[in-house]
Structure formats: structure tokens, C-alpha cells
Amino acid sequence: MTDGQKWLLILDFDNTQAPTKHQELQASPALPYSFLLKDMAESGALPLIHCTGRSPVHIIRDIENSQSASLPGPHAARTPMILASVGTEALLWDEEQSLYVPMDRLIKQDAAGFFEEHYETLRAVIENTPGLKLQEDAFLGPHKISGWKDPKTTMSNEELYDALLDTLKVYEINPDDLSITASMQTKFAVDLTPKGATKGNAIRFAAWHYDVPLKNVYYGGDSINDLDGMLVEDINIILPGNAQDSLVQAVEQHIEDKSRIYKAQAPYAQGVFEALVHFGRLEQEPTIPHHLAGLAQWRPQNPAKPPHTLRL
């Protein structure tokens, strides 16, 4: 296989590959494309890798459920690699063991060591920043501590960010010793990770692992926490039609070579397919198979919570 033939499709999951569960409650002509993306990835027709803010537990849960659940249901593809927890964890599918196994060498040792040494302090920073609440343990990771806006606060997103920086100073933590990813649109959320441990670093790691030139990597995301991944040198950028305005504006501001950016008209996975046609990786947008066509009008009757059994 030549360098021109080898390529990777790296995608955020929620609101990029598929609408969130809240949005799935409404019929959408784009929904069948989310299932089609899964089917094509698992058949080998698309070289898909997940790159998500979710913890491994949550994304693997939906992958496992999707292998047996009847439609509609969870529809995350079983991909050969998962980049999880905002790029701080990488897992590789092991065919022999039939499970995902953690990978090493993703985070620089000194950055990881600093984060681990100050882990409890960083939790306290989030807990004691006015207007912020520490996310539940299920949403945290060994190298990711996250907080979101307290619904009771009247502080603006900008004030929350400034308050976080002030609290870091109180605890004698230099912000430059961390990576801080904050969503400043709608509900404020923030992730603290080791310095350099971001979605962008994880994308470079995946390209290195598969020996794929960055010019042959296509990264899609919908929210501002995908910006770091989109700033990776030479990669191609997919903005689905539902991408946040703040992300679109930031990408257009920071990327000089506009030929690397594609803003789709269609949302979610349908927008991903639209972009792949634009970039020449697909000859045409795939046709929705008959067994998926009815999903465009689907509405759940009594949506049940998926089981939580999984293997890591």
C-alpha cells in the first residue's frame, strides 16, 4: 500500500458520528448514516478510529451493546483503536483476547508523573473553584479531571475560566504545567490533563502507530474541545453541519490552508460522508440500505438504559 492509499478517519463520537441520546428522541434523516458509518467501519470499508472525550468504559459499553442490540440502539463501531478521555488514553482491539487493551507511550512520562503527583490537588481545584462542580468519577480518568458549570451559579463562562485559573494559583499549580481544555459555548465544561496530553497528541500517536502521513488523516468533530485535534499540522478537517459556531470560527481563524477544511451541509455522520466525497476518499455518498432507511422516521417508545457489563 502506498502512502497515498493509506489513510485514517478519526472522529469524535457524540454529535459527530451520531446525535446524542437526547437528540435521538427526534426523527432525523441523518440518523441512518450513523448506523451506516458503523457498518462500513466494521467491514473495513472505512479506516475509522474513535477520538472521544468519553472514558473507555462509556465508549466500550456502547460498542459492545451495538454488536447484539436490535435497531435502533447504540451504534458505536468496533474500531481497531480508541482514543478516549480527551486523548489521554489509547486502547487497541486485541483479536486473540477479544477485548480492548491499554497502549503505552501516549503521554510523556514527566507530564504524566506531574499529573499523577498532583491528582488529588487538581480534584480539589475543581471542587473549590466558585461556580464549578467536579464531574462524577465515572467521567474522570487517571489523566483527566473534569468539571462543569454549577447550574446554580450566575457566573459567565469567561468568569468561570478566570476563577479556575485563580484557584490553580491558590493551590500553587502553574497552568502551564497542564493542558486545559474548556468549552466556552453553551454549558461550560473543562478538562484538566497532563501537559501535551490532548486530542491533537492522540491523533499524532495514531498516525505514528499506523504509519500514516498526517496529510492522509481526516479528523472530524463538532465542539470546541476538538480544536486542538484540528490544529495538528497537515491533517484534513471535517466540520459536520451541526458543528458549534465557536469551533467553525476558531478553525477558520487558525488554519491558513483552507483547502484542508470542509464544512458540511449535513449533520453528524451524513456530514462526514459528504466530506469524504469532497476530499476524494469516497466516489459518492453511500446509499442507505433498505434495512436502515426506516430510521429516518424512528421514534423510541420506551427507551431502556443499556446494560453496563463490559470488558476492558
Side-chain angles (χ1 to χ4, degrees), residues 163-308:
L164 172 64
L165 296 182
D166 289 340
T167 308
L168 284 168
K169 291 178 183 177
V170 169
Y171 281 86
E172 300 183 341
I173 300 290
N174 186 342
D176 292 338
D177 291 329
L178 305 169
S179 286
I180 304 174
T181 304
S183 173
M184 304 295 284
Q185 184 164 303
T186 61
K187 184 177 180 179
F188 181 87
V190 64
D191 300 306
L192 306 180
T193 58
K195 185 177 180 64
T198 61
K199 283 190 172 185
N201 178 66
I203 289 168
R204 294 185 188 92
F205 176 82
W208 166 81
H209 178 82
Y210 288 106
D211 193 25
V212 172
L214 288 171
K215 66 180 181 179
N216 290 351
V217 173
Y218 301 80
Y219 179 58
D222 70 287
S223 67
I224 197 65
N225 71 1
D226 293 302
L227 179 61
D228 184 81
M230 293 178 178
L231 295 181
V232 172
E233 60 281 1
D234 298 330
I235 69 166
N236 303 282
I237 298 163
I238 298 173
L239 297 164
N242 59 291
Q244 293 178 352
D245 291 340
S246 58
L247 175 64
V248 176
Q249 293 167 7
V251 167
E252 292 176 343
Q253 177 184 351
H254 288 93
I255 304 298
E256 293 185 8
D257 183 359
K258 307 304 182 189
S259 68
R260 296 197 289 116
I261 307 170
Y262 185 77
K263 174 69 170 68
Q265 295 296 313
Y268 315 120
Q270 186 177 8
V272 172
F273 284 121
E274 181 185 322
L276 293 178
V277 172
H278 167 80
F279 285 120
R281 289 299 176 179
L282 293 177
E283 291 186 4
Q284 60 185 15
E285 188 174 295
T287 302
I288 296 296
H290 179 73
H291 73 285
L292 295 178
L295 289 173
Q297 287 78 42
W298 171 74
R299 293 178 185 275
Q301 300 301 315
N302 295 297
K305 291 184 179 180
H308 289 272

Side-chain angles (χ1 to χ4, degrees), residues 41-188:
E42 292 185 340
S43 72
L46 291 175
L48 176 63
I49 291 174
H50 298 302
C51 186
T52 176
R54 292 193 194 196
S55 68
V57 165
H58 287 90
I59 187 66
I60 293 174
R61 177 195 64 197
D62 277 1
I63 291 170
E64 292 195 346
N65 291 340
S66 71
Q67 304 307 308
S68 58
S70 58
L71 296 179
H75 41 273
R78 177 171 289 157
T79 57
M81 179 185 286
I82 298 173
L83 307 172
S85 299
V86 198
T88 62
E89 297 183 72
L91 301 100
L92 198 65
W93 177 251
D94 187 311
E95 285 285 355
E96 198 170 298
Q97 300 184 69
S98 293
L99 52 76
Y100 281 99
V101 295
M103 302 178 70
D104 296 325
R105 303 177 65 183
L106 177 63
I107 303 175
K108 290 184 178 179
Q109 188 172 356
D110 56 345
F114 177 88
F115 196 87
E116 292 161 4
E117 179 183 350
H118 295 87
Y119 191 87
E120 294 303 323
T121 300
L122 293 171
R123 284 178 61 108
V125 166
I126 298 293
E127 290 176 320
N128 292 294
T129 294
L132 282 186
K133 293 185 69 174
L134 184 70
Q135 293 187 18
E136 298 175 7
D137 285 348
F139 297 100
L140 308 182
H143 297 110
K144 171 181 164 304
I145 297 175
S146 303
W148 46 30
K149 189 173 186 176
D150 187 332
K152 298 177 181 178
T153 188
T154 58
M155 297 171 67
S156 70
N157 290 348
E158 290 74 16
E159 289 171 333
L160 285 169
Y161 188 78
D162 290 341
L164 172 64
L165 296 182
D166 289 340
T167 308
L168 284 168
K169 291 178 183 177
V170 169
Y171 281 86
E172 300 183 341
I173 300 290
N174 186 342
D176 292 338
D177 291 329
L178 305 169
S179 286
I180 304 174
T181 304
S183 173
M184 304 295 284
Q185 184 164 303
T186 61
K187 184 177 180 179
F188 181 87

